[in-house]
């Protein structure tokens, strides 16, 4: 599930789907915190017996962004290289942090 301002960008949703190798579902109601608070209140007031029941009433999918296999493979290669770079530069990063102290 994806909520917030980032869901307004189909490009960003596609990048997330490709990197994570999953479908990204954006909701009709982008105000996740407000919706969640309202759902907690509704369950607390006894309007619904469970959060699942409440979510079935209020949470609505708007769009599903599916990953692209070709891009998943490409991002996987980049991530593999990133991990090598991160491991190789970790001691340098630690030294820089120590200089700051």
């Amino acid at each position: 599930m994806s909520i917030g301002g980032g869901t307004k960008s189909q490009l960003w949703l596609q990048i997330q789907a490709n990197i994570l190798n999953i479908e990204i579902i954006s909701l009709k109601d982008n105000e996740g915190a407000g919706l969640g608070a309202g759902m907690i209140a509704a369950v607390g007031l006894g309007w619904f017996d469970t959060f699942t029941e409440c979510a079935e009433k209020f949470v609505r999918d708007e769009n599903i962004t599916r990953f692209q296999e070709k891009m998943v493979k490409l991002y996987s290669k980049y991530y593999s290289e990133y991990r090598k770079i991160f491991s190789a530069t970790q001691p340098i990063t630690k030294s820089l942090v120590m200089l700051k102290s």
Side-chain angles (χ1 to χ4, degrees):
M1 294 269 174
S2 185
I3 59 170
T7 61
K8 292 183 174 99
S9 170
Q10 186 56 44
L11 175 61
W12 178 239
L13 294 171
Q14 189 64 65
I15 290 169
Q16 288 180 56
N18 292 338
I19 288 173
L20 299 172
N21 192 21
I22 60 172
E23 292 181 343
I24 302 291
I25 300 170
S26 54
L27 303 179
K28 283 187 178 186
D29 184 350
N30 264 333
E31 299 303 322
L35 179 60
M39 289 171 57
I40 290 169
V43 172
L45 289 168
W47 296 352
F48 297 93
D49 293 329
T50 66
F51 287 106
T52 301
E53 180 186 352
C54 188
E56 288 171 354
K57 178 73 173 174
F58 290 104
V59 177
R60 297 283 174 248
D61 299 350
E62 181 171 57
N63 182 43
I64 298 175
T65 304
R66 291 175 172 77
F67 60 88
Q68 301 160 319
E69 194 61 44
K70 176 182 169 186
M71 295 305 294
V72 169
K73 290 177 183 176
L74 178 63
Y75 280 120
S76 180
K77 290 177 187 177
Y78 278 110
Y79 183 63
S80 177
E81 293 305 308
Y82 164 79
R83 288 182 57 110
K84 292 177 196 173
I85 293 167
F86 181 82
S87 295
T89 60
Q90 196 171 16
I92 296 168
T93 303
K94 187 174 183 179
S95 295
L96 289 171
V97 170
M98 295 306 288
L99 286 175
K100 186 177 170 185
S101 299

